[in-house]
C-alpha cells in the first residue's frame, strides 16, 4: 500500500489546477477565413482567367490594407477588366456564379448588385457555420468556457482558450478543414513508366540542378515496401518533389491514361520519410463522389493486436455509393484522403453493403481522438488560417482574484466560528468535514485535468452550502430525537443517518440538484457546463463527506468520550425560541401571493420598459491592443477608464487584461456599442487618450495611428461580437427548461404527488423572475447590476439552492403526513415550522458568506454576490411561503372536486 501511494503521489505531484480565461488567462488566436476559397467554391472551382485574376488582385489589396472589403474589391476589378477587354462575360455567367448550385438565386438577368447581395449572404452564413463548427470542435476537445467571438465587419474570428499545453495540437484541430474523400489509386506499376520518362528526359534536373540525386533516387524506390505507394521521400526533399510534380513541365509530360492523376503525401511520417501516392481525381466528379458530407458518425475501435482504427459510418446515400464504389474496385487499392493527406490505402476484399469503412494506422490516443473530433463535427466550408497568437492575462485581474481568495477564506473562518458557536463540538466536526470537502473537490478537479472557471467556483460555493446544510439537517434531527427522549444518544445519532431520519431530506435535495447539474452539463455550453461540472463533482463529494465522514467523527467521539452535546448553553435560548415556533404560515398565503404577484408583474414590466444592462458577453464591443512604456496593472487602467466612459450618468467598466508582454494591454469596452460610425470611434479614442495621457509622452495622432513596429500607443482596433451568441442563449434556455422538467419528474416520482412538483417549479420560476426584475429595475442607478456570464452562474446557483431548500421543506411535510390519512393545513404548517431552524441556520450562514465576499472581494465580484444575496433571500422566502401554499391550494381544490 505504501508503494502504491508513493507512486500515485509521484504521478500527481506535478499536476496543478487548470484555471480558466477569467482566472488565469490563456491563449488568444485570430483565425482568418479565406473569402477567396469561398468564392471559388460558389463558382464550383471555375478556372476562368479573369475570375482568378480578380481574386489575385483582391488578395493583393487585402494584404496592403487589411480593412479592404474583399468582395467589393474583387467585383470592381473583375468588371473593370471585362470592360477594358470588351468581353461578353458577367458574374451571372454559368461558368461563374450562375451555375447549377446557385440557379435558384442567380440567372442571366441578375444584376451585379443582386449577385453581390447574394454572395455576401452566402459568405456570412459560411462564417457563422465555421464559427459553430469551431465551437463544437473546441467543446469536444474538452475546453470549458472558451471565448469565441466574431470580429465585426470582417472575415475573422477571435478565439481565446485556457489550459492549452500543446498549442500545435489545438492549431491543427482548428485549421483542419476535414474534407474527406474516398478515391481510386494508381499502382506503382502504372506510374513507374511516367517517372522513368521524367528521369530519362532530365526534366527534374533542369529545375533543380543543385541537387545531385536523380528523380528516381529521391523517390527511394528500393525502400518501398507496399505496391500502394509510388515513392518514399525524405522530409528535406518533400517540398521540392511537390513543387516539381505540380509544375507545368511535369503536368505536360503526363501520358493520356494518367491525365487525372494527383500526387498526395501520406499523413504519417515514417522515420523522417513520407510516402507518396498516386490518386485518381476527376474535378468534375469530386463534388458528387464519396465524401465527408455522407459521414454520420466516426468512432474508435481496436484490432486483435490492440491497434487503433477509426470506423466511419455513412448515411443512406453514402451507403449506396460505397457499395458501388467497393464493387467496382474489388482487389484494388483505394485511398482514404482527409485534407489532401492519405490516411489509409486499404485493398477492397469484397463488396461492402453496410456503409461502414475503417481507417487503419498507427494512431496514438491523441491522434485518434482528434481525428474523430474533426470528422464528427463536419468539414469547414472553406480553409481557415491562424494569423495571430498571443498569451493573455486573466479577465478578472490578478488583484481581484487575490481579493476574492482572501474574502473566501475570511468567509470560511466565520462559518467555522458560527458552527462551533451553534453546535459546539459537532459543529467543529462539521467544519472539518467542510475542509475535507474542499480538499476532495479540488483534488478531483486536478486529477481530471478540469479547467476551473468563475461559474465553476459558483458551483463549488453551492455544493459547500449544501454540504454544510446536510450536517445541519443531521444535527437538527439528532436534537429532535433527543427532545423526543430516544433512549440512548448512540441510537439518536444512528436513527438520524437513516431514511426515516435526515437521510431522505439530504438525498432528495442533493439528487434533485445533481439531476439539474447533469442535464445542464449535457445540454448546456460555455459557462453553464463550467458550473455544472463542478456542481456534479461537489454534490457527489458532499454526499460522501457529510454522511460518511461526519458520522465517523461522531462515532469516534462517542467511543472515546462517551458523551457529546449538540448545542452551547449560550444558544439554547435562541434555539428554543425558533424550535418552539407554532405559526400558521398558510393563513398568510394570500398576502404572499399578492406580494409575489406585484413583484413578478413589476419585474415583467421592467423587462419590457427598462430592459437590462447587458454586459460585454452579450453585446460585444470595441477591442483595443495598446502598448505602454512600462509594466501596467490592468485593474488600475479599468478604474481610470470607467471614470471617462460614462453613459446615462453611469460608469462603464471596460475589461482590461495583459496581452502578450506585461506592458501590452487588451482593452474591451461596450461604451457606445450601439453607435457604429467613424465619429464615435474618434470620440472613444480621444477619451481613452486623454484619460491615459500620463502614460503616453506622445500626441493624439501618434497614439491612434496604427503602423508596423510601433513602440507606443494603439497597435490594433477591432469591433467584436458577443461571446454568448444567439444560438448559445437559445441552447442555455433549452437546457434550463429541460432541467426544470427533470426536477418536476423526479419530485413527482419521489413524493407521488404532482402538486409537489408544480410547487417546486413555480417557486423556481418565481425566484428567477424576481432576481431578473431587480437587476432590470435598478440597473440605471447601480451599474454593477449587469447581465453577463457571471450572472448566469449566479442564477444557476440560485436555482440549485432554491430547489434544495424547497425539497427539504417538502420532506418534512411528507414525514408528518405519513402520521395522518391526508395532507391538511396543520400538516403543512407543522412541516414548515419543523424545518425552520435548519432553513434559518443555512440561509444565515450562506448570506454571511456572500456578504463577506461582497465586502472584501472587490468590485469584480459585486454583481455576482449581489445576485446571490437577492436570489437566496427570495429563494428562502419562496420555499417557506410560496411552494407549500401552492401544494395546499392544489390539494384543497382536488378535495372540493
Amino acid at each position: 500500500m505504501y508503494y502504491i501511494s508513493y507512486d500515485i503521489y509521484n504521478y500527481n505531484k506535478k499536476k496543478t489546477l487548470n484555471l480558466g480565461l477569467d482566472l488565469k488567462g490563456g491563449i488568444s488566436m485570430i483565425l482568418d477565413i479565406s473569402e477567396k476559397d469561398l468564392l471559388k467554391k460558389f463558382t464550383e472551382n471555375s478556372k476562368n482567367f479573369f475570375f482568378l485574376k480578380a481574386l489575385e488582385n483582391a488578395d493583393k489589396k487585402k494584404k496592403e490594407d487589411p480593412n479592404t472589403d474583399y468582395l467589393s474589391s474583387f467585383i470592381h476589378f473583375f468588371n473593370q477588366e471585362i470592360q477594358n477587354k470588351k468581353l461578353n462575360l458577367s458574374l451571372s455567367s454559368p461558368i461563374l456564379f450562375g451555375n447549377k448550385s446557385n440557379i435558384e438565386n442567380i440567372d442571366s438577368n441578375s444584376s451585379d448588385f443582386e449577385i453581390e447581395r447574394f454572395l455576401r449572404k452566402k459568405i456570412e452564413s459560411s462564417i457563422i457555420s465555421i464559427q459553430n463548427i469551431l465551437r463544437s470542435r473546441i467543446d469536444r476537445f474538452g475546453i470549458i468556457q472558451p471565448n469565441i467571438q466574431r470580429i465585426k465587419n470582417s472575415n475573422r474570428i477571435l478565439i481565446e482558450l485556457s489550459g492549452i499545453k500543446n498549442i500545435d495540437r489545438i492549431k491543427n484541430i482548428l485549421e483542419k478543414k476535414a474534407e474527406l474523400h474516398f478515391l481510386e489509386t494508381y499502382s506503382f506499376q502504372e506510374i513507374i513508366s511516367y517517372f522513368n520518362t521524367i528521369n530519362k528526359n532530365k526534366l527534374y534536373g533542369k529545375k533543380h540542378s543543385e541537387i545531385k540525386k536523380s528523380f528516381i533516387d529521391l523517390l527511394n524506390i528500393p525502400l518501398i515496401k507496399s505496391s500502394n505507394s509510388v515513392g518514399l521521400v525524405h522530409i528535406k526533399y518533400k517540398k521540392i518533389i511537390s513543387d516539381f510534380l505540380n509544375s507545368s513541365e511535369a503536368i505536360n509530360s503526363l501520358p493520356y491514361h494518367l491525365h487525372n492523376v494527383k500526387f498526395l503525401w501520406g499523413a504519417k511520417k515514417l522515420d523522417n520519410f513520407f510516402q507518396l501516392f498516386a490518386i485518381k481525381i476527376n474535378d468534375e466528379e469530386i463534388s458528387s463522389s464519396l465524401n465527408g458530407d455522407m459521414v454520420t458518425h466516426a468512432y474508435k475501435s481496436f484490432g486483435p493486436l490492440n491497434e487503433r482504427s477509426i470506423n466511419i459510418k455513412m448515411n443512406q446515400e453514402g451507403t449506396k455509393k460505397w457499395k458501388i464504389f467497393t464493387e467496382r474496385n474489388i482487389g484494388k487499392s483505394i485511398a482514404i484522403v482527409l485534407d489532401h493527406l492519405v490516411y489509409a490505402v486499404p485493398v477492397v476484399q469484397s463488396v461492402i453493403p453496410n456503409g461502414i469503412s475503417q481507417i487503419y494506422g498507427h494512431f496514438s490516443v491523441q491522434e485518434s481522438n482528434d481525428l474523430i473530433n474533426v470528422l464528427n463535427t463536419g468539414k469547414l466550408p472553406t480553409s481557415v488560417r491562424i494569423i495571430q497568437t498571443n498569451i493573455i492575462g486573466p479577465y478578472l485581474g490578478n488583484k481581484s482574484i487575490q481579493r476574492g481568495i482572501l474574502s473566501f477564506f475570511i468567509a470560511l473562518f466565520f462559518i467555522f466560528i458560527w458552527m462551533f458557536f451553534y453546535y459546539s463540538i459537532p459543529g467543529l466536526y462539521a467544519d472539518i468535514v467542510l475542509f475535507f470537502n474542499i480538499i476532495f473537490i479540488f483534488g478531483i478537479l486536478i486529477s481530471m485535468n478540469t479547467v476551473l472557471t468563475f461559474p465553476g467556483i459558483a458551483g463549488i460555493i453551492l455544493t459547500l452550502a449544501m454540504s454544510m446544510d446536510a450536517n445541519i439537517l443531521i444535527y437538527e434531527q439528532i436534537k429532535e430525537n433527543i427532545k423526543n427522549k430516544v433512549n440512548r444518544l448512540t441510537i439518536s445519532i444512528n436513527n438520524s443517518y437513516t431514511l426515516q431520519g435526515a437521510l431522505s431530506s439530504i438525498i432528495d435535495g442533493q439528487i434533485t440538484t445533481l439531476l439539474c447539474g447533469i442535464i445542464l452539463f449535457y445540454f448546456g455550453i460555455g459557462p453553464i457546463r463550467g458550473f455544472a461540472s463542478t456542481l456534479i463533482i461537489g454534490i457527489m463529494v458532499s454526499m460522501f463527506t457529510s454522511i460518511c465522514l461526519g458520522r465517523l467523527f461522531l462515532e469516534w467521539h462517542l467511543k472515546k468520550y462517551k458523551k457529546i452535546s449538540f448545542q452551547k448553553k449560550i444558544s439554547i435560548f435562541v434555539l428554543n425560541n425558533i424550535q418552539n415556533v407554532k405559526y400558521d404560515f398558510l393563513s398568510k398565503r394570500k398576502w404572499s401571493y399578492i406580494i409575489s404577484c406585484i413583484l413578478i408583474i413589476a419585474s415583467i414590466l421592467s423587462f419590457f420598459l427598462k430592459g437590462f444592462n447587458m454586459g460585454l458577453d452579450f453585446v460585444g464591443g470595441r477591442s483595443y491592443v495598446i502598448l505602454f512604456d512600462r509594466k501596467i496593472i490592468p485593474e488600475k487602467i479599468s478604474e481610470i477608464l470607467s471614470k471617462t466612459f460614462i453613459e446615462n450618468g453611469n460608469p462603464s467598466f471596460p475589461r482590461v487584461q495583459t496581452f502578450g508582454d506585461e506592458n501590452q494591454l487588451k482593452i474591451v469596452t461596450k461604451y457606445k456599442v450601439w453607435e457604429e460610425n467613424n465619429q464615435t470611434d474618434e470620440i472613444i479614442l480621444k477619451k481613452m487618450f486623454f484619460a491615459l495621457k500620463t502614460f503616453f509622452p506622445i500626441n493624439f495622432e501618434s497614439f491612434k495611428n496604427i503602423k508596423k513596429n510601433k513602440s507606443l500607443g494603439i497597435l490594433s482596433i477591432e469591433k467584436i461580437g458577443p461571446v454568448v451568441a444567439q444560438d448559445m442563449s437559445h441552447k442555455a434556455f433549452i437546457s434550463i427548461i429541460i432541467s426544470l422538467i427533470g426536477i418536476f419528474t423526479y419530485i413527482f416520482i419521489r413524493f407521488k404527488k404532482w402538486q409537489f412538483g408544480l410547487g417546486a417549479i413555480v417557486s423556481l420560476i418565481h425566484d428567477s423572475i424576481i432576481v431578473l426584475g431587480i437587476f432590470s429595475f435598478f440597473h440605471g442607478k447601480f451599474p454593477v447590476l449587469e447581465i453577463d456570464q457571471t450572472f448566469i452562474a449566479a442564477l444557476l446557483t440560485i436555482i440549485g439552492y432554491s430547489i434544495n431548500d424547497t425539497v427539504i421543506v417538502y420532506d418534512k411535510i411528507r414525514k408528518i403526513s405519513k402520521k395522518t390519512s391526508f395532507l391538511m393545513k396543520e400538516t403543512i404548517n407543522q412541516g414548515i415550522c419543523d424545518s425552520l431552524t435548519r432553513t434559518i441556520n443555512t440561509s444565515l450562514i450562506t448570506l454571511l458568506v456572500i456578504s463577506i465576499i461582497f465586502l472584501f472581494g472587490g468590485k469584480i465580484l459585486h454583481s455576482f454576490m449581489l445576485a446571490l444575496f437577492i436570489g437566496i433571500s427570495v429563494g428562502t422566502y419562496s420555499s417557506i411561503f410560496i411552494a407549500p401554499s401552492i401544494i395546499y391550494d392544489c390539494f384543497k381544490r382536488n378535495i372540493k372536486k
Side-chain angles (χ1 to χ4, degrees):
M1 179 62 75
Y2 168 78
Y3 291 111
I4 292 170
S5 301
Y6 184 74
D7 287 342
I8 291 169
Y9 168 73
N10 279 335
Y11 175 75
N12 284 307
K13 68 180 180 180
K14 289 184 180 178
K15 283 193 172 187
T16 55
L17 182 64
N18 293 320
L19 300 175
L21 287 167
D22 44 7
L23 300 175
K24 190 178 180 181
I27 185 170
S28 169
M29 293 178 283
I30 292 179
L31 275 71
D32 185 78
I33 296 164
S34 175
E35 288 176 279
K36 178 181 180 178
D37 286 356
L38 281 174
L39 292 176
K40 279 185 175 181
K41 181 185 174 184
F42 300 155
T43 62
E44 297 182 346
N45 292 314
S46 173
K47 299 291 188 291
N48 180 270
F49 172 78
F50 295 101
F51 170 73
L52 296 176
K53 191 176 178 182
L55 288 176
E56 285 176 13
N57 179 75
D59 278 342
K60 186 181 175 183
K61 294 283 186 187
K62 191 78 174 176
K63 281 180 183 176
E64 291 171 0
D65 181 8
N67 295 319
T68 300
D69 187 306
Y70 189 93
L71 183 60
S72 297
S73 181
F74 159 76
I75 292 172
H76 176 74
F77 184 85
F78 178 85
N79 288 332
Q80 203 172 41
E81 282 290 296
I82 297 303
Q83 286 174 8
N84 292 341
K85 303 291 182 183
K86 297 180 180 178
L87 296 172
N88 185 24
L89 181 68
S90 70
L91 292 169
S92 61
S93 167
I95 63 169
L96 294 176
F97 298 106
N99 51 54
K100 289 179 183 177
S101 60
N102 301 326
I103 200 165
E104 292 182 5
N105 297 283
I106 296 175
D107 56 37
S108 56
N109 298 319
S110 297
S111 66
D112 284 351
F113 174 77
E114 289 173 325
I115 293 168
E116 184 176 352
R117 187 174 60 184
F118 166 73
L119 291 176
R120 286 197 187 281
K121 192 175 177 182
K122 288 271 283 183
I123 290 169
E124 183 65 23
S125 65
S126 297
I127 291 172
I128 291 169
S129 173
I130 289 168
Q131 192 170 348
N132 291 334
I133 291 169
L134 293 176
R135 186 183 298 281
S136 182
R137 286 185 185 180
I138 289 166
D139 285 343
R140 285 174 179 268
F141 189 74
I143 297 170
I144 291 178
Q145 209 176 327
N147 175 13
I148 303 173
Q149 292 173 281
R150 170 82 180 278
I151 297 174
K152 289 185 179 179
N153 306 319
S154 77
N155 61 320
R156 293 179 176 179
I157 294 172
L158 169 69
I159 296 180
E160 293 175 342
L161 308 170
S162 63
I164 301 299
K165 291 173 183 172
N166 189 337
I167 294 174
D168 290 334
R169 183 185 175 197
I170 194 69
K171 282 183 176 180
N172 183 50
I173 286 173
L174 294 177
E175 290 184 317
K176 196 178 281 293
K177 193 176 177 184
E179 193 169 348
L180 181 70
H181 291 286
F182 301 85
L183 302 166
E184 296 177 358
T185 64
Y186 286 102
S187 66
F188 177 78
Q189 289 74 21
E190 290 174 298
I191 215 83
I192 187 61
S193 59
Y194 168 59
F195 287 166
N196 284 330
T197 303
I198 291 172
N199 217 47
K200 184 179 177 183
N201 296 335
K202 297 183 178 178
L203 295 172
Y204 172 77
K206 290 175 185 177
K207 288 183 74 71
H208 300 282
S209 56
E210 75 281 2
I211 297 174
K212 303 303 178 186
K213 289 186 176 182
S214 68
F215 181 74
I216 292 290
D217 289 339
L218 290 178
L219 293 175
N220 294 302
I221 289 170
L223 298 177
I224 297 173
K225 295 179 181 178
S226 169
S227 61
N228 298 330
S229 65
V230 297
L232 192 66
V233 180
H234 194 276
I235 189 169
K236 67 179 179 180
Y237 299 121
K238 184 183 171 190
K239 187 177 186 308
I240 295 169
I241 294 292
S242 286
D243 291 345
F244 172 71
L245 289 174
N246 290 315
S247 67
S248 56
E249 291 94 334
I251 292 168
N252 292 334
S253 300
L254 283 167
Y256 179 75
H257 72 280
L258 296 176
H259 71 282
N260 62 349
V261 72
K262 178 111 178 167
F263 293 99
L264 298 177
W265 296 103
K268 293 284 289 183
K269 185 168 69 171
L270 308 172
D271 296 326
N272 291 322
F273 287 87
F274 282 90
Q275 288 180 290
L276 183 68
F277 297 92
I279 311 297
K280 294 180 185 179
I281 292 182
N282 188 330
D283 287 339
E284 292 178 4
E285 294 179 4
I286 195 79
S287 60
S288 59
S289 67
L290 274 164
N291 57 62
D293 291 339
M294 298 168 190
V295 173
T296 57
H297 183 51
Y299 56 97
K300 188 166 43 178
S301 64
F302 295 89
L305 300 175
N306 210 32
E307 70 277 13
R308 290 180 188 84
S309 65
I310 294 167
N311 297 334
I312 298 171
K313 190 167 177 17
M314 300 179 187
N315 60 17
Q316 193 172 2
E317 182 190 358
T319 301
K320 288 178 184 176
K321 288 188 175 183
W322 187 233
K323 183 182 177 184
I324 295 166
F325 185 75
T326 52
E327 195 172 25
R328 195 172 67 219
N329 288 284
I330 290 177
K332 298 178 184 177
S333 297
I334 60 169
I336 300 175
V337 180
L338 180 69
D339 290 341
H340 305 292
L341 292 174
V342 179
Y343 274 79
V345 189
V347 176
V348 179
Q349 304 291 346
S350 61
V351 178
I352 303 173
N354 59 3
I356 295 176
S357 60
Q358 283 185 318
I359 302 177
Y360 291 99
H362 301 287
F363 298 114
S364 66
V365 175
Q366 182 176 300
E367 286 170 336
S368 59
N369 289 341
D370 291 350
L371 190 55
I372 288 167
N373 179 351
V374 295
L375 287 173
N376 281 327
T377 51
K379 73 173 185 179
L380 295 172
T382 185
S383 56
V384 299
R385 184 170 56 93
I386 295 171
I387 58 171
Q388 187 185 98
T389 306
N390 283 96
I391 304 299
I392 55 173
Y395 288 167
L396 301 181
N398 288 319
K399 279 199 168 183
S400 296
I401 293 167
Q402 288 167 10
R403 290 187 68 178
I405 293 168
L406 176 64
S407 64
F408 181 73
F409 280 111
I410 293 170
L412 276 181
F413 173 75
F414 275 99
I415 289 175
F416 289 172
I417 296 297
W418 177 282
M419 289 299 289
F420 181 68
F421 167 78
Y422 209 87
Y423 291 110
S424 188
I425 297 298
L428 186 62
Y429 291 140
D431 294 337
I432 296 170
V433 166
L434 187 66
F435 182 71
F436 273 108
N437 210 33
I438 295 166
I439 291 173
F440 290 156
I441 289 171
F442 281 100
I444 292 169
L445 289 173
I446 291 167
S447 63
M448 290 176 65
N449 231 14
T450 306
V451 176
L452 180 65
T453 61
F454 196 85
I457 290 174
I460 291 172
I461 290 171
L462 175 58
T463 55
L464 292 180
M466 291 177 71
S467 175
M468 190 57 70
D469 185 44
N471 285 302
I472 290 170
L473 279 167
I474 291 165
Y475 293 170
E476 290 301 317
Q477 184 64 50
I478 292 169
K479 287 196 294 184
E480 190 178 325
N481 290 343
I482 293 168
K483 184 182 173 184
N484 293 334
K485 298 180 180 177
V486 173
N487 293 332
R488 291 175 59 195
L489 188 58
T490 309
I491 296 171
S492 295
I493 292 171
N494 288 338
N495 287 349
S496 299
Y497 282 96
T498 62
L499 288 173
Q500 289 72 35
L503 211 55
S504 60
S505 298
I506 294 168
I507 289 172
D508 285 336
Q510 303 262 15
I511 286 181
T512 310
T513 313
L514 179 64
L515 181 67
C516 181
I518 291 168
I519 293 169
L520 289 172
F521 183 82
Y522 187 79
F523 291 100
I525 49 178
I528 291 177
R529 292 196 82 181
F531 170 82
S533 60
T534 55
L535 180 65
I536 292 166
I537 292 167
I539 287 173
M540 290 179 173
V541 168
S542 68
M543 287 276 282
F544 166 74
T545 54
S546 57
I547 294 170
C548 299
L549 282 184
R551 184 172 185 174
L552 184 70
F553 288 135
L554 292 179
E555 288 180 349
W556 172 84
H557 187 97
L558 272 177
K559 193 175 180 181
K560 187 170 183 179
Y561 299 104
K562 308 300 181 186
K563 63 177 182 177
I564 190 169
S565 174
F566 283 85
Q567 60 191 37
K568 277 186 169 286
K569 290 180 180 179
I570 307 170
S571 64
I572 290 173
F573 176 73
V574 178
L575 185 65
N576 286 338
N577 279 344
I578 296 172
Q579 281 185 333
N580 296 325
V581 165
K582 299 292 178 187
Y583 187 74
D584 187 359
F585 287 94
L586 293 180
S587 66
K588 308 297 180 186
R589 69 186 186 283
K590 289 182 181 178
W591 283 107
S592 302
Y593 289 155
I594 290 167
I595 292 167
S596 291
C597 284
I598 290 169
L599 289 172
I600 288 169
I601 291 166
S603 296
I604 293 169
L605 286 173
S606 184
F607 296 166
F608 291 103
L609 298 176
K610 298 193 74 173
F612 295 97
N613 178 19
M614 305 302 288
L616 277 167
D617 298 329
F618 287 91
V619 298
R622 292 173 174 86
S623 172
Y624 305 89
V625 176
I626 303 178
L627 184 62
F628 293 78
D629 62 352
R630 71 199 88 158
K631 179 182 174 181
I632 298 294
I633 299 169
E635 291 93 331
K636 185 178 179 182
I637 299 299
S638 178
E639 188 73 31
I640 292 168
L641 291 176
S642 68
K643 295 171 183 175
T644 301
F645 296 156
I646 294 174
E647 280 188 287
N648 303 319
N650 294 314
S652 175
F653 286 86
R655 180 183 290 163
V656 184
Q657 60 193 129
T658 55
F659 191 76
D661 296 329
E662 289 182 329
N663 65 328
Q664 191 168 287
L665 295 183
K666 183 178 182 181
I667 299 170
V668 185
T669 177
K670 63 168 189 165
Y671 178 63
K672 294 187 181 292
V673 67
W674 307 115
E675 298 177 30
E676 293 191 19
N677 55 66
N678 294 333
Q679 188 179 354
T680 303
D681 294 342
E682 188 78 3
I683 289 169
I684 294 171
L685 282 173
K686 281 184 177 178
K687 281 180 174 287
M688 193 181 294
F689 172 72
F690 287 112
L692 304 175
K693 196 173 180 181
T694 53
F695 297 96
F696 298 104
I698 54 175
N699 59 32
F700 176 65
E701 290 301 317
S702 301
F703 171 78
K704 75 168 185 174
N705 289 336
I706 299 170
K707 54 188 178 184
K708 287 184 179 179
N709 302 320
K710 192 174 179 181
S711 60
L712 212 59
I714 289 182
L715 301 182
S716 70
I717 302 172
E718 286 156 347
K719 291 177 183 176
I720 55 172
V723 175
V724 184
Q726 280 189 341
D727 64 314
M728 282 183 70
S729 301
H730 178 71
K731 286 178 182 177
F733 180 74
I734 293 296
S735 66
I736 291 171
I737 294 297
I738 293 170
S739 67
L740 291 178
I741 293 168
I743 288 168
F744 176 85
T745 306
Y746 177 80
I747 292 174
F748 172 66
I749 293 168
R750 192 76 178 89
F751 290 87
K752 299 180 177 62
K753 303 286 182 183
W754 62 266
Q755 290 89 344
F756 282 90
L758 179 66
I761 298 303
V762 169
S763 66
L764 288 182
I765 295 169
H766 163 278
D767 300 345
S768 302
I769 290 174
I770 291 174
V771 173
L772 284 165
I774 291 170
F775 266 63
S776 171
F777 189 80
F778 291 104
H779 76 77
K781 292 184 178 180
F782 306 102
V784 72
L785 301 177
E786 188 175 76
I787 307 294
D788 54 12
Q789 292 197 66
T790 57
F791 177 81
I792 293 173
L795 198 60
L796 293 172
T797 308
I798 291 161
I799 289 171
Y801 183 91
S802 182
I803 191 63
N804 181 65
D805 219 21
T806 303
V807 167
I808 285 165
V809 174
Y810 281 1
D811 192 71
K812 286 288 184 184
I813 294 169
R814 179 178 57 184
K815 284 176 181 175
I816 294 167
S817 71
K818 285 180 180 179
K819 299 172 186 177
T820 58
S821 57
F822 52 89
L823 276 170
M824 293 295 291
K825 190 176 183 180
E826 292 77 14
T827 305
I828 296 173
N829 275 326
Q830 189 59 48
I832 298 169
C833 291
D834 284 358
S835 61
L836 206 57
T837 305
R838 169 261 150 203
T839 302
I840 292 172
N841 214 339
T842 303
S843 297
L844 283 176
I845 290 174
T846 309
L847 292 174
L848 177 68
V849 170
I850 291 166
S851 302
I852 291 167
I853 297 175
F854 180 87
L855 293 171
F856 297 100
K859 286 184 180 178
I860 203 76
L861 299 176
H862 282 176
S863 175
F864 177 70
M865 289 302 158
L866 196 57
L868 281 186
F869 191 94
I870 296 165
I872 286 169
S873 302
V874 174
T876 303
Y877 157 78
S878 68
S879 65
I880 294 171
F881 290 97
I882 302 300
S885 299
I886 289 169
I887 295 172
Y888 176 69
D889 283 328
C890 288
F891 269 105
K892 196 171 71 168
R893 189 169 295 176
N894 280 357
I895 291 166
K896 284 181 181 179
K897 287 180 180 179

